[in-house]
Amino acid sequence: MEMEDTRPFGHLIDLDAFPAGMVTGLLATARTIMSKPEYYCDSCHGKILATLFYEPSTRTQMSFQAAILRLGGKVIGFDNPGNSSVSKGESLKDTVRVISNYADILTIRHPQEGAAKAASLFSCCCVINAGDGGHLHPTQTLTDLFTLSETKGRIDHLTVGLCGDLLNGRTVHSLAKTLCRFPGNRFVLISTPELTLPPYVLSVLRDSGCAFTMSTSLLDSIGDLDVLYMTRIQRERFGAEEEYKRQKGVFVLDAEKMRHAKAELRVLHPLPRVDEIDYEVDYDPRAVYFDQTAYGMYVRQALILHMLDGAKKATPPRLTPEGAGLCPNPRCITRVEPYLPPLFTFGTGYVCGYCDHEV
Amino acid sequence: MEMEDTRPFGHLIDLDAFPAGMVTGLLATARTIMSKPEYYCDSCHGKILATLFYEPSTRTQMSFQAAILRLGGKVIGFDNPGNSSVSKGESLKDTVRVISNYADILTIRHPQEGAAKAASLFSCCCVINAGDGGHLHPTQTLTDLFTLSETKGRIDHLTVGLCGDLLNGRTVHSLAKTLCRFPGNRFVLISTPELTLPPYVLSVLRDSGCAFTMSTSLLDSIGDLDVLYMTRIQRERFGAEEEYKRQKGVFVLDAEKMRHAKAELRVLHPLPRVDEIDYEVDYDPRAVYFDQTAYGMYVRQALILHMLDGAKKATPPRLTPEGAGLCPNPRCITRVEPYLPPLFTFGTGYVCGYCDHEV
Amino acid sequence: MEMEDTRPFGHLIDLDAFPAGMVTGLLATARTIMSKPEYYCDSCHGKILATLFYEPSTRTQMSFQAAILRLGGKVIGFDNPGNSSVSKGESLKDTVRVISNYADILTIRHPQEGAAKAASLFSCCCVINAGDGGHLHPTQTLTDLFTLSETKGRIDHLTVGLCGDLLNGRTVHSLAKTLCRFPGNRFVLISTPELTLPPYVLSVLRDSGCAFTMSTSLLDSIGDLDVLYMTRIQRERFGAEEEYKRQKGVFVLDAEKMRHAKAELRVLHPLPRVDEIDYEVDYDPRAVYFDQTAYGMYVRQALILHMLDGAKKATPPRLTPEGAGLCPNPRCITRVEPYLPPLFTFGTGYVCGYCDHEV
């Protein structure tokens, strides 16, 4: 396919599509850029990144903006579809076709699942998924991996505690699915039984032969961990207010719990936090969640650099529909953009090529 | 006048003020930039474009942003007057005076007719009209001309079909008025009789000796055309819902109608489209409306390059009022900015120098 | 303290913290940049300014943007917290820690008093106060001083009229407090008795030995002035509508009043104006309020250049609380960001280190 030739790195929709060696290659580039940022300050001179943010995410958008700007590139885009004319009934296809004419690389955030995949079908330039609903957010996972690589020295043979709402957090799903591709990683799933990882992520862990245990107490588990990945527990996930109040403290990280942790523990958090990490912990050198955002910028620089390297703009080819019918997932992008060609692959059942929903 | 010396290219408020040779010169520059964009990537190094968008128009604003950024320049501006302090009762004059101090070139979009002319009276730098109400939108016309020039090889001796709501579309007015300045162009006006071109545009065509015919069927007319310029027909333009439904399909372009067209037809559309062009047509190589947006970026680069060439900032001179009284057009900028000096020229009647309304 | 070494210029929260020699040094740099802007167009190549505007202020934000862009740097930031994810319950601390990782210099505008000081405690890079509620706005004062320096040739030995609402205008408070540090300046306070300078500013003037007189008539006072600094009188400051109408004209500057002024008078205004300066005055060469905005851009360039010079990013040290308890000022940043350490200094009473409120 013509696309293959002109975009050696392709799009980044799902990190699963990148072999493990490609992931470690990205981390190596990120480390090089971080050590000598001034060598890279004009690497993308004359290039434009478009940020199509169909829902606001100031932090992610700024991280991408800082990344391209620090490579000498420039930014166009929107963050406010309510105010933007692109929201006035224009299809995702038309917007992507037009803006990808102006840009060299495009990053999209969208509330519907599969929106980034859909955008990649019509874009004249490379597309990076910056979050499509509750589905995927691959650059957050790259951020987490680079933080581990820099603060623990490795992304394998780690005992990783995942704490909080593991059922609904796409961040921990992605991280778990990626870390289990590297040898010797082990998970401790710290949550209420109702909020542990969903069955499909647990199967991925099992299939990969990755060990995991479950825990309902952060205090009891913290002493074993090399890494603690904190996430929010949202009040609305609990049936009753009393249940929420009773459980809440169990999953809050504070200075007292930190006293039971190893000296080499590293605490990560995708941010923003609400109150699941006490402000006192910020001054503990094992807390690296603020540094994590800096690592995120460097790994996005590495990603942009790889994707732009040798990439040429091209009109995307017409896609032949695979399978037929409508994806039953109500949050799938195909439900709101009816012109999209059906894309189903056959696994254990039919799987939607946009949102990965199994039919 | 001092202004003449320091801004060799002046402002661009109305394309009618540019001689035909200047227009073709711009297209030639656009072609050169498009063929070797990397030669121009620092041509406007250190220059700032301000985008004053008093109503959102994401596409036009991004096209201007991409244009200056690809020339090595930078951007400041706003797109959200509701959120901006400039909307808090500050006059257009004060905003323009202040922001033109920060910028080297200024582009303005405003819901009132004549706003760009008004801005040019107080700006310390060159002004480009990016749309003033239903009045003018000269860079869209340059975009259309450059698209014709690149996809048909010429902007003369063309049979051009204009289809849709020709009464209310400023885009087609501007294009028709400009194309009739070049020899051998002929128009087919495809619309309901109620929505054909307004009398003043028809007189311009007649005065220029340019031939035109009227048609109420896209299917019947498409076979004769070198160029088909599609526009939207808005539902609210029809008296009755049944009338709308009955007429709608007649002016929708689909694959079936394309089978009756010449192999060398080119289909343009200012975008965004709603449903007047079927998605199936997108894959027809004669459809150039997506490429048109890329051409728009290059011709805006050419325009900015010409306007900044040798331009120096200067305090605008005080204007002597010409004529007296208030323009009766309720959408004229003078109705909301009362300090503006009256500017009337005498033609067949008095003509407002801001909105071109004939008194 | 480690900070001192890596940030030779520190933060700019309050201009009072800058010695008079540092202020005149900044003005000298601004003058140099203004005379040869092209020499400085790459001075901050590769640097990023973050604009954290928790309330919209288009003019100030654009002035900062133009300043860093004209030095060859770049911009990230937000201007619309209602639309931004940073408003979704994230603390000021976390936002500042994260965004200061992406940027080299940070400018903040916030509706709460002391917010810029609070931001400086957690920022990894230099912070500039771009307005914290009714408290301080030091770059406006630098703008005013540079305008005086350029249009009067000096910032000392001037008779300065301050006209309008002197009670509530932080701009005039700051200017008065700074000008009285330079020899020979004298003030004429032109306002209704109820709206004259607040007692604490009058004490600063008295303590510095700076002369001032009060006046209730702009017409009577204008003839004595070297400088007239105009500000708005807001209708809501007057108890009764009739009182407002009766007083209003007394403090409006028009061409008639200008006839009684010296040939060397200079009229300044922080803008935006409403109707306190007649549009007719704009054409008087003694009116310099539009030029003032250009001077503001140059002095911000000078400030950014000084602050970035030799600055290295560093994690801010943990602060030891000074004093205890809560600041009683309801507009103090500590009232909405409860994790902030108490910072009180002892003067005549305790003074809050964030908002300067005396307890």
Side-chain angles (χ1 to χ4, degrees):
Chain A
M1 206 170 69
E2 191 197 359
M3 292 290 97
E4 246 60 6
D5 302 353
T6 55
R7 295 175 200 166
F9 218 72
H11 306 291
L12 173 52
I13 307 304
D14 184 346
L15 206 56
D16 285 359
F18 278 23
M22 213 153 151
V23 171
T24 50
L26 271 176
L27 303 187
T29 303
R31 188 171 310 120
T32 310
I33 295 173
M34 193 171 69
S35 66
K36 287 283 175 204
E38 62 278 19
Y39 288 12
Y40 292 85
C41 77
D42 290 314
S43 304
C44 296
H45 181 67
K47 299 295 182 182
I48 293 180
L49 169 79
T51 58
L52 272 59
F53 273 53
Y54 285 85
E55 59 180 12
S57 176
T58 308
R59 184 189 313 287
T60 301
Q61 194 170 15
M62 278 198 200
S63 180
F64 274 109
Q65 289 170 343
I68 184 77
L69 294 175
R70 290 201 176 279
L71 293 168
K74 310 202 171 180
V75 180
I76 59 172
F78 57 83
D79 63 350
N80 188 358
N83 186 54
S84 156
S85 61
V86 300
S87 69
K88 291 178 192 150
E90 190 177 52
S91 68
L92 179 66
K93 173 187 176 172
D94 285 13
T95 301
V96 166
R97 276 292 265 122
V98 170
I99 297 179
S100 68
N101 270 331
Y102 301 152
D104 299 290
I105 187 165
L106 186 152
T107 179
I108 181 170
R109 175 138 187 152
H110 198 286
Q112 295 288 124
E113 303 178 6
K117 173 70 181 178
S120 73
L121 303 181
F122 306 111
S123 175
C124 307
C125 64
C126 298
V127 171
I128 298 174
N129 185 359
D132 57 336
H135 183 220
L136 297 164
H137 190 2
T139 60
Q140 179 64 51
T141 306
L142 286 173
T143 298
D144 300 340
L145 294 173
F146 188 47
T147 306
L148 292 182
S149 156
E150 293 308 296
T151 64
K152 295 298 301 178
R154 63 185 192 275
I155 58 173
D156 48 35
H157 299 92
L158 292 170
T159 299
V160 179
L162 305 175
C163 178
D165 178 356
L166 310 184
L167 182 64
N168 301 290
R170 71 181 163 194
T171 307
V172 289
H173 303 173
S174 251
L175 182 61
K177 283 165 60 188
T178 308
L179 276 181
C180 75
R181 295 160 65 190
F182 295 88
N185 289 324
R186 206 170 68 78
F187 291 99
V188 184
L189 311 177
I190 308 160
S191 71
T192 64
E194 298 76 27
L195 292 177
T196 197
L197 286 178
Y200 92 94
V201 180
L202 292 177
S203 340
V204 174
L205 295 188
R206 276 191 208 99
D207 292 352
S208 72
C210 179
F212 61 90
T213 55
M214 301 206 180
S215 160
T216 55
S217 165
L218 177 53
L219 185 64
D220 293 349
S221 315
I222 198 167
D224 293 329
L225 306 176
D226 299 318
V227 173
L228 172 58
Y229 197 96
M230 294 292 299
T231 65
R232 247 178 308 163
I233 296 204
Q234 291 173 306
R235 181 172 302 214
E236 54 270 32
R237 301 298 181 191
F238 289 89
E241 180 70 16
E242 315 88 80
E243 178 66 12
Y244 172 73
K245 283 191 182 143
R246 203 165 50 81
Q247 289 284 359
K248 203 186 123 187
V250 177
F251 304 105
V252 167
L253 182 65
D254 55 22
E256 171 55 28
K257 292 199 185 79
M258 286 298 280
R259 270 191 278 280
H260 296 80
K262 293 184 191 170
E264 301 77 28
L265 175 75
R266 293 296 175 264
V267 182
L268 281 72
H269 189 298
L271 301 184
R273 70 167 152 188
V274 182
D275 51 11
E276 60 281 4
I277 299 180
D278 196 277
Y279 277 76
E280 195 59 28
V281 178
D282 297 358
Y283 297 102
D284 191 307
R286 294 170 290 181
V288 299
Y289 35 84
F290 289 128
D291 301 328
Q292 197 176 349
T293 60
Y295 292 129
M297 182 182 74
Y298 290 115
V299 83
R300 285 184 177 95
Q301 283 187 254
L303 178 68
I304 291 169
L305 200 62
H306 276 267
M307 291 183 81
L308 283 177
D309 190 32
K312 282 195 172 52
K313 297 182 74 162
T315 307
R318 182 173 195 166
L319 211 72
T320 315
E322 291 168 19
L326 187 65
C327 175
N329 173 8
R331 295 180 305 277
C332 179
I333 187 71
T334 56
R335 304 298 287 259
V336 290
E337 306 276 334
Y339 55 85
L340 288 171
L343 288 184
F344 289 101
T345 53
F346 194 71
T348 45
Y350 279 97
V351 177
C352 175
Y354 296 94
C355 70
D356 293 320
H357 190 87
E358 286 190 37
V359 186
Chain B
M1 206 169 69
E2 191 197 358
M3 292 291 97
E4 245 60 5
D5 301 355
T6 56
R7 295 174 201 168
F9 219 72
H11 305 291
L12 173 53
I13 308 306
D14 184 346
L15 206 56
D16 285 359
F18 278 23
M22 213 153 150
V23 171
T24 50
L26 270 177
L27 303 187
T29 303
R31 189 171 309 119
T32 310
I33 295 174
M34 193 170 69
S35 66
K36 288 282 175 203
E38 62 279 17
Y39 288 11
Y40 292 85
C41 76
D42 289 313
S43 303
C44 295
H45 182 67
K47 298 295 183 183
I48 293 180
L49 169 80
T51 57
L52 273 58
F53 275 53
Y54 284 85
E55 59 181 12
S57 175
T58 308
R59 186 189 312 288
T60 301
Q61 194 170 13
M62 277 198 201
S63 181
F64 274 109
Q65 289 170 344
I68 184 77
L69 294 176
R70 289 201 176 279
L71 293 168
K74 309 201 171 181
V75 180
I76 59 172
F78 57 83
D79 62 351
N80 188 357
N83 185 54
S84 156
S85 61
V86 301
S87 69
K88 291 179 192 150
E90 190 177 53
S91 68
L92 179 66
K93 172 186 176 172
D94 285 12
T95 301
V96 166
R97 275 294 264 119
V98 170
I99 296 180
S100 67
N101 270 333
Y102 302 152
D104 300 289
I105 187 164
L106 187 153
T107 179
I108 182 171
R109 175 138 189 152
H110 198 286
Q112 294 289 124
E113 303 178 5
K117 173 72 182 176
S120 74
L121 303 180
F122 306 112
S123 174
C124 307
C125 64
C126 298
V127 172
I128 300 174
N129 185 0
D132 58 335
H135 184 220
L136 297 165
H137 190 3
T139 60
Q140 179 65 51
T141 306
L142 286 173
T143 298
D144 300 339
L145 294 173
F146 188 47
T147 306
L148 292 182
S149 156
E150 293 308 295
T151 64
K152 295 298 301 178
R154 63 187 193 272
I155 58 173
D156 50 34
H157 299 92
L158 292 170
T159 299
V160 179
L162 305 174
C163 177
D165 178 356
L166 310 184
L167 182 64
N168 301 289
R170 72 180 163 194
T171 307
V172 289
H173 303 173
S174 252
L175 181 62
K177 283 166 59 189
T178 308
L179 276 181
C180 75
R181 294 160 65 190
F182 295 88
N185 289 324
R186 204 171 68 81
F187 291 98
V188 184
L189 311 177
I190 308 161
S191 71
T192 64
E194 298 77 25
L195 292 177
T196 197
L197 286 177
Y200 92 95
V201 181
L202 293 177
S203 341
V204 174
L205 295 188
R206 276 190 208 99
D207 293 352
S208 72
C210 179
F212 61 90
T213 56
M214 301 207 181
S215 161
T216 55
S217 164
L218 176 52
L219 185 64
D220 293 351
S221 314
I222 198 168
D224 293 331
L225 306 176
D226 300 317
V227 173
L228 172 58
Y229 197 96
M230 293 293 299
T231 65
R232 248 177 308 163
I233 296 203
Q234 291 172 307
R235 181 172 301 215
E236 55 269 30
R237 302 300 182 189
F238 289 88
E241 179 71 15
E242 316 87 80
E243 177 67 11
Y244 172 73
K245 283 193 182 143
R246 205 165 48 80
Q247 290 283 1
K248 205 186 120 186
V250 178
F251 303 107
V252 168
L253 182 64
D254 54 23
E256 171 54 29
K257 293 199 186 81
M258 286 298 281
R259 270 191 278 280
H260 297 80
K262 292 184 191 171
E264 301 76 30
L265 174 75
R266 292 295 175 265
V267 182
L268 281 73
H269 190 297
L271 300 185
R273 69 168 151 184
V274 182
D275 51 11
E276 60 281 4
I277 300 181
D278 196 277
Y279 277 75
E280 195 59 27
V281 179
D282 296 358
Y283 298 102
D284 191 307
R286 294 170 290 181
V288 298
Y289 35 84
F290 289 127
D291 301 328
Q292 197 177 348
T293 60
Y295 293 129
M297 182 183 73
Y298 290 114
V299 83
R300 287 185 176 96
Q301 282 187 255
L303 178 67
I304 291 169
L305 200 63
H306 276 267
M307 291 183 81
L308 282 178
D309 191 31
K312 282 195 174 51
K313 296 182 74 162
T315 307
R318 183 173 195 164
L319 212 72
T320 315
E322 291 167 21
L326 187 64
C327 174
N329 173 8
R331 294 180 305 278
C332 180
I333 187 70
T334 56
R335 304 297 288 257
V336 289
E337 306 276 336
Y339 55 84
L340 289 172
L343 288 184
F344 289 100
T345 54
F346 194 71
T348 44
Y350 279 97
V351 177
C352 174
Y354 296 95
C355 70
D356 293 321
H357 192 89
E358 284 189 39
V359 185
Chain C
M1 207 169 69
E2 191 197 358
M3 292 291 96
E4 245 61 5
D5 302 354
T6 56
R7 295 173 200 168
F9 219 72
H11 306 291
L12 173 52
I13 308 304
D14 184 347
L15 207 56
D16 286 359
F18 278 22
M22 213 153 151
V23 171
T24 50
L26 271 177
L27 304 187
T29 303
R31 189 172 308 118
T32 310
I33 295 174
M34 193 170 70
S35 66
K36 288 282 175 203
E38 62 278 17
Y39 289 10
Y40 292 86
C41 78
D42 290 314
S43 303
C44 295
H45 181 67
K47 299 294 184 184
I48 294 180
L49 169 80
T51 58
L52 273 58
F53 274 53
Y54 284 86
E55 60 180 13
S57 175
T58 308
R59 185 188 312 289
T60 301
Q61 193 169 16
M62 279 198 200
S63 180
F64 274 110
Q65 289 170 344
I68 183 77
L69 294 176
R70 289 200 176 280
L71 293 168
K74 310 202 169 180
V75 180
I76 59 172
F78 58 83
D79 62 351
N80 187 358
N83 186 54
S84 158
S85 61
V86 301
S87 67
K88 291 179 192 149
E90 191 177 53
S91 69
L92 179 66
K93 172 186 177 175
D94 285 13
T95 301
V96 166
R97 276 292 264 120
V98 170
I99 297 180
S100 68
N101 269 332
Y102 302 150
D104 300 290
I105 187 165
L106 187 153
T107 178
I108 182 170
R109 176 138 189 153
H110 198 285
Q112 295 288 124
E113 302 178 6
K117 173 70 181 177
S120 73
L121 303 181
F122 305 111
S123 175
C124 306
C125 65
C126 298
V127 172
I128 299 174
N129 185 359
D132 57 337
H135 183 220
L136 298 165
H137 191 3
T139 59
Q140 179 65 51
T141 306
L142 286 173
T143 298
D144 300 340
L145 294 173
F146 188 47
T147 306
L148 292 182
S149 156
E150 293 308 295
T151 63
K152 294 299 301 178
R154 64 187 192 275
I155 57 173
D156 49 34
H157 299 92
L158 293 170
T159 298
V160 179
L162 304 175
C163 177
D165 178 356
L166 310 184
L167 182 63
N168 301 289
R170 71 180 163 193
T171 307
V172 289
H173 303 173
S174 250
L175 181 63
K177 284 166 59 189
T178 307
L179 276 181
C180 75
R181 295 160 64 191
F182 295 88
N185 290 324
R186 206 170 66 81
F187 292 98
V188 184
L189 310 177
I190 308 159
S191 71
T192 64
E194 298 78 24
L195 291 178
T196 196
L197 286 178
Y200 92 95
V201 180
L202 292 177
S203 338
V204 173
L205 295 188
R206 277 191 207 98
D207 292 352
S208 73
C210 179
F212 62 90
T213 56
M214 300 207 182
S215 160
T216 55
S217 164
L218 176 53
L219 185 63
D220 293 350
S221 315
I222 198 167
D224 294 330
L225 306 176
D226 299 317
V227 173
L228 172 58
Y229 197 96
M230 294 293 298
T231 64
R232 248 177 309 162
I233 296 204
Q234 293 172 304
R235 180 172 301 214
E236 55 269 32
R237 302 299 182 192
F238 290 89
E241 180 71 16
E242 315 87 80
E243 178 66 11
Y244 172 74
K245 283 193 183 142
R246 205 165 49 80
Q247 290 283 2
K248 203 186 120 185
V250 178
F251 303 106
V252 167
L253 182 64
D254 55 21
E256 171 55 28
K257 294 199 184 80
M258 286 299 280
R259 269 191 280 279
H260 296 79
K262 293 184 190 169
E264 301 78 27
L265 175 74
R266 294 294 174 265
V267 182
L268 281 72
H269 190 297
L271 300 185
R273 68 167 152 187
V274 181
D275 51 11
E276 60 280 4
I277 300 181
D278 196 278
Y279 276 76
E280 194 60 28
V281 179
D282 298 357
Y283 298 102
D284 191 307
R286 294 170 290 181
V288 298
Y289 35 84
F290 290 127
D291 301 328
Q292 198 176 346
T293 61
Y295 292 129
M297 182 183 72
Y298 290 114
V299 84
R300 286 184 176 96
Q301 283 188 253
L303 178 67
I304 290 169
L305 200 62
H306 275 267
M307 291 184 81
L308 282 178
D309 190 31
K312 283 195 173 51
K313 296 182 75 162
T315 308
R318 183 173 195 164
L319 212 72
T320 315
E322 292 167 20
L326 188 64
C327 175
N329 173 8
R331 293 180 307 278
C332 179
I333 187 70
T334 56
R335 305 298 287 258
V336 289
E337 306 275 336
Y339 55 85
L340 289 171
L343 288 183
F344 289 101
T345 53
F346 194 72
T348 43
Y350 279 97
V351 177
C352 175
Y354 297 93
C355 71
D356 293 322
H357 191 87
E358 286 190 38
V359 186

